[in-house]
Amino acid sequence: MASVRVERTDDGGFVATNARGARVAIGGSGDDGVFTPVELLLAALGGCEIVTVEPLTAERGHRLVRLAATVEAEKVAPTRLGAVTVTYDVELPDGDEDAARVFTDVAHRVHENHCTVGRALRETTPTEQILPDLAR
């Protein structure tokens, strides 16, 4: 099970923490030095894809010189995103004529079948909210 805790900090900001102690600051689009929740969603998709693509490409003998992705989405309504686009930036090793095919094949398979975040975005993923019993 994946789990993070999101809480307000003493200075009025917000932070998400995982069980391994990693932390990420969260805030609004006007706040410096933080990610917005939508940016974190985009980062999750890009991260899911490239952390899966990289080892699969490397274990097939094609270590890419550069592997990055830019993930973008427009807000089409105040609480709704339009299509999300993942654009790869890749530099292939010199003289490795097969690397482009391997990268493309792996990236397509990861995007369609192996990235949990992408699948959750494309498919209906139920969410549930549990509130404390505050009536005392």
Side-chain angles (χ1 to χ4, degrees), residues 40-133:
L40 288 172
L41 178 73
L42 300 178
L45 176 59
C48 184
E49 287 205 12
I50 69 171
V51 303
T52 308
V53 166
E54 198 285 326
L56 292 174
T57 305
E59 70 184 35
R60 285 161 177 75
H62 306 282
R63 179 81 177 178
L64 302 171
V65 175
R66 181 180 61 255
L67 175 60
T70 300
V71 187
E72 299 173 299
E74 293 281 336
K75 272 197 172 182
V76 295
T79 60
R80 185 175 170 101
L81 290 179
V84 178
T85 304
V86 180
T87 303
Y88 277 85
D89 177 17
V90 175
E91 183 180 342
L92 303 173
D94 287 336
D96 187 347
E97 296 175 16
D98 200 34
R101 182 191 57 78
V102 170
F103 163 73
T104 301
D105 290 348
V106 167
H108 282 304
R109 280 196 312 278
V110 166
H111 181 77
E112 293 302 319
N113 301 311
H114 301 293
C115 174
T116 305
V117 176
R119 290 189 77 160
L121 289 171
R122 285 190 307 274
E123 300 170 3
T124 301
T125 301
T127 63
E128 180 182 352
Q129 182 183 57
I130 300 172
L131 299 175
D133 182 8

Side-chain angles (χ1 to χ4, degrees), residues 11-42:
D11 64 1
F14 299 90
V15 66
T17 307
N18 68 14
R20 295 175 310 282
R23 299 167 56 93
V24 63
I26 303 170
S29 60
D31 299 331
D32 291 333
V34 299
F35 282 94
T36 68
V38 170
E39 290 168 337
L40 288 172
L41 178 73
L42 300 178

